[in-house]
Every structure is written in C-alpha cells, then in structure tokens.
Amino acid sequence: MNDIFLNRAARPIQKLVAYDPGHDLPRLRERFGDIIVELGSNENGWGTSPKAVEAVVKAARDSFRYPDPLGLGLRARLADKHDCSEEEIVLGNGSHELLMQLAQVFAEPGDEVIYSRYGFAVYPIGTRAVGATGIAVDPFPRDHAMPLGTDLSQIPKAITERTKIIFVANPNNPTGTHFRIEDLKALLQQVPKHIPVVVDEAYTEFANAEGLESAISLRREFANLVVSRTFSKAYGLAGLRVGYLVAHREVCELINRLRESFNVNLLGLAAAEAALDDHEHLARVREGVLTQRARIAEALTQLGFFVFPSQTNFLLVDFHRRAQPIEDALFERAVIVRPMVPYGLPNCLRITVGNPAETDRLIASLIEAKDAA
C-alpha cells in the first residue's frame, strides 16, 4: 500500500489486519470443478431450505425495490420465536457485522475489551478497529475436560475500570467447545451491570450437550446480556448474509444509530422468514450434523489424531505435529479445510462436518494424506 494513504488513515486502521476468510473458494471451484469438497467455512452440507429457495425466487421479482430498512417482518417472526419485543432485536448483514458494531458502539481508544484467547477472530478485529485494547483470557488447559474451552471464571479477574464489553461464544469457534448455562449465569452475576456481555450463538442449533442452553433464557434477568445469532450455519443462508441479536432495547437503539439503512437485502429477508418456517429441514440438518460429527470424530481418533469435543458443525483436530503437510495433501485431493495458524494452533485444522458423501471423501483423503504427508 502507498504510504501516502496509509499514514493518513485513522491510527487503529493503520495497524489493523483484515479478517482472513481462508482459501479463495471461487477460484478453487473453477480449478477443481464438481469434485471439490468444501470443509473450511462451516457451511451447511445439506443446503438451503426449499421453502427459502422458493421465497428467494419470488422476492427476486421485486429486486428493483429497496428492502424494508427495518426488516419488520423478520423481526416480528424472531420476536415471536424468542418471546421478546421487536425493539429488542437488531438485524445484521450476518452476525459478523453486528459483532463489529457492538465494539464500535461501546469501545474507543483507551478502553479494554475482554474475550477468550481462542475465540472468534472478529472479536480482536473489532476491538482493534476502534483503537481499544484486547484482553485475551486464558482458556482451560489441554488436559481439561473442555480443552482450550472458554474458562468463564477467568473473566471477572480481567475486568478493570477500563473494561467496556465482553465477548464469549457458546459453542465456541474455532474450538467447538461449550459452557453450561449455570456457569454463564455465575459470570453475569459478577460482571458490573454497565458492561455488556455478548454471547455469540452462531452454532447453537447444533448443540446437544447437557446443560448447554441458549443465553436468551437469561435476558430478562440481566439487562447487559446481548445474544447474537446467524442464519448462515444451520439455516444454510451463508450466501445471503442474515444475522441478528437479541438485547435490551437501549442497546438495540444505540446499534440502530450506526446500522446502515438497508443492511439486510430483500432476498435475505425473504429467505430467513421462510427458513424459520421449515422446521423439517432444520431437523434434517441437525440430525445429519450430529450423525456425521460423531462418525468423523471416531474415524479421526482411530487414525491417532486428537479431536476436540465439539457442539458445532465442525471439529478442531490436533495432528500432534505441524498440520500444514496434511492440509496440503488434502488440498491436492480437492478437500479444503481451514488451517489454524492464525489462531496460534499450527498443529491443528478445523474441519467442517459435511454430508455423508463429503464425509466419505474426507475420511478416505485423510487416510491417504496421513501416509503421504
């Protein structure tokens, strides 16, 4: 970049490193064609609800019109789903946008933002973008029942008078680990009421662990609780970019001051409403993920790798040595996974739980890759 412009950018932006989306998948699709197996972005291997597809086709006829800037129809549906008011819901261009906006609303240079050391990359990016300081709390150790999982007990110890917002994910990306609702409640009881606690539930539809419940059940008890969700994963709408959060109406009003007027497009609004109605498709996706997740975990464990416990539609896998050669070998077989070097986990790969055919290819390719690498 030309230093003429770099030196004139806002100071936080000068030091900011952009979010890394992984491989250039459009180019890889051109290279590999139909044989590609995309297991690097935690997308839905069972696809989009047919009802959502139908709604998109119908809505496309009005694409010359602007979408509803307030997303009233979808917000009404979500308010009914979560037993809250429409004023307690904000829609986003994916939950990614909302997480960034929460940092913009509540933090500025000199402030501190707390998150887990192995949490979603957007938390530190949003923090740095506003010039705040990120405080990464240590996770559980490797020998814990929830290795590298978010240790909520460490968060109160990190709070200072400069703390402005806290980010946690349940289940967590990229580790796949989770925490119990009782532990979250214990944390909220210790956090000062003026500090928002954001619980990112992007993968909550895939969870089946005992004690893992949505934080939305605690929202009336804790006004500083913010819960973010997405339609990108279980609902299969990653390409349409629809997310939302549930929070105190004052928090929502502040975000709406910053939110772009038409941040969720016409097709996304229509698809999300229709997807909420297709309970059968969601059930098929969930059942498929749980079945294939167990199958992959067992196969990889038998191969001698360490598979982190997961409540998501992906698995974090430790290969006990640098994972780059194995990733390269998978890549040559058109199986695309996600390296974890940016997270400081060079021995690990994050692997999306795909459909049965994708699982077949993954396991066969890993057997070959293990021997070739």
Side-chain angles (χ1 to χ4, degrees):
M1 180 181 290
N2 192 322
D3 288 348
I4 294 175
F5 299 107
L6 175 62
N7 294 333
R8 283 162 176 73
R11 290 184 180 179
I13 304 303
Q14 291 181 26
K15 301 178 180 179
L16 191 64
V17 176
Y19 175 75
D20 179 5
H23 290 286
D24 185 350
L25 289 171
R27 297 282 180 90
L28 293 182
R29 289 169 193 147
E30 293 178 4
R31 171 179 171 178
F32 291 116
D34 293 339
I35 69 168
I36 191 171
V37 177
E38 300 182 32
L39 302 178
S41 298
N42 302 338
E43 295 158 333
N44 188 328
W46 286 260
T48 305
S49 156
K51 292 183 179 180
V53 173
E54 182 180 352
V56 166
V57 172
K58 182 178 179 180
R61 300 167 188 160
D62 293 325
S63 292
F64 64 98
R65 303 288 188 189
Y66 282 107
D68 178 356
L70 301 178
L72 293 176
L74 180 55
R75 285 170 57 209
R77 296 295 311 283
L78 291 169
D80 181 63
K81 173 181 174 66
H82 295 300
D83 189 26
C84 64
S85 69
E86 296 172 27
E87 290 74 26
E88 294 172 294
I89 292 176
V90 180
L91 302 180
N93 188 251
S95 56
H96 184 145
E97 178 189 44
L98 294 167
L99 296 170
M100 295 289 291
Q101 289 174 339
L102 283 162
Q104 288 178 273
V105 167
F106 290 104
E108 59 186 347
D111 293 336
E112 294 176 347
V113 176
I114 297 175
Y115 43 78
S116 179
R117 186 169 305 281
Y118 296 113
F120 187 29
V122 167
Y123 310 151
I125 290 175
T127 300
R128 295 170 191 146
V130 298
T133 300
I135 306 298
V137 298
D138 290 330
F140 289 120
R142 291 273 187 155
D143 59 356
H144 191 272
M146 203 62 62
L148 301 189
T150 304
D151 184 354
L152 298 184
S153 69
Q154 298 301 312
I155 292 177
K157 303 173 186 177
I159 295 174
T160 71
E161 68 280 357
R162 296 167 59 191
T163 303
K164 290 299 179 68
I165 190 167
I166 298 168
F167 288 102
V168 293
N170 198 33
N172 185 57
N173 177 20
T175 61
T177 51
H178 72 282
F179 49 78
R180 300 177 306 166
I181 192 73
E182 292 87 351
D183 296 327
L184 175 61
K185 185 172 182 178
L187 169 66
L188 290 166
Q189 290 170 338
Q190 298 177 71
V191 174
K193 299 184 184 303
H194 65 276
I195 299 177
V197 177
V198 182
V199 181
D200 179 356
E201 293 187 346
Y203 297 93
T204 191
E205 290 88 358
F206 304 115
N208 66 341
E210 183 178 352
L212 201 175
E213 300 175 22
S214 173
I216 293 176
S217 64
L218 300 176
R219 66 179 187 82
R220 287 193 174 91
E221 188 174 352
F222 300 97
N224 60 332
L225 175 63
V226 179
V227 181
S228 67
R229 292 280 191 92
T230 183
F231 284 88
S232 294
K233 307 303 180 184
Y235 289 101
L237 300 182
L240 291 177
R241 313 303 302 127
V242 186
Y244 66 97
L245 60 78
V246 182
H248 189 280
R249 63 185 61 206
E250 185 176 339
V251 172
C252 294
E253 194 278 328
L254 289 169
I255 295 174
N256 279 323
R257 296 182 187 184
L258 183 67
R259 183 181 62 84
E260 295 182 10
S261 299
F262 304 102
N263 63 330
V264 181
N265 67 67
L266 183 76
L267 306 185
L269 290 172
E273 283 196 58
L276 284 173
D277 277 337
D278 199 341
H279 304 292
E280 292 182 1
H281 182 73
L282 181 62
R284 283 195 297 272
V285 171
R286 174 180 161 81
E287 181 181 359
V289 167
L290 296 185
T291 299
Q292 298 307 312
R293 186 172 73 195
R295 180 186 170 201
I296 297 169
E298 180 180 3
L300 270 60
T301 300
Q302 290 179 353
L303 288 172
F305 309 136
F306 178 78
V307 181
F308 288 78
S310 176
Q311 288 293 301
T312 65
N313 71 332
F314 63 82
L315 293 166
L316 182 67
V317 184
D318 189 332
F319 293 88
H320 308 300
R321 56 191 172 93
R322 291 190 66 84
Q324 184 67 53
I326 291 182
E327 186 206 352
D328 292 343
L330 290 174
F331 183 91
E332 292 304 317
R333 291 163 175 77
V335 177
I336 312 303
V337 297
R338 191 66 171 267
M340 289 289 101
V341 174
Y343 285 90
L345 298 169
N347 291 354
C348 297
L349 297 174
R350 193 190 68 190
I351 303 174
T352 303
V353 175
N355 60 45
E358 291 172 327
T359 299
D360 290 343
R361 281 279 305 282
L362 169 68
I363 294 174
S365 298
L366 270 171
I367 292 172
E368 295 175 358
K370 181 183 180 183
D371 296 333

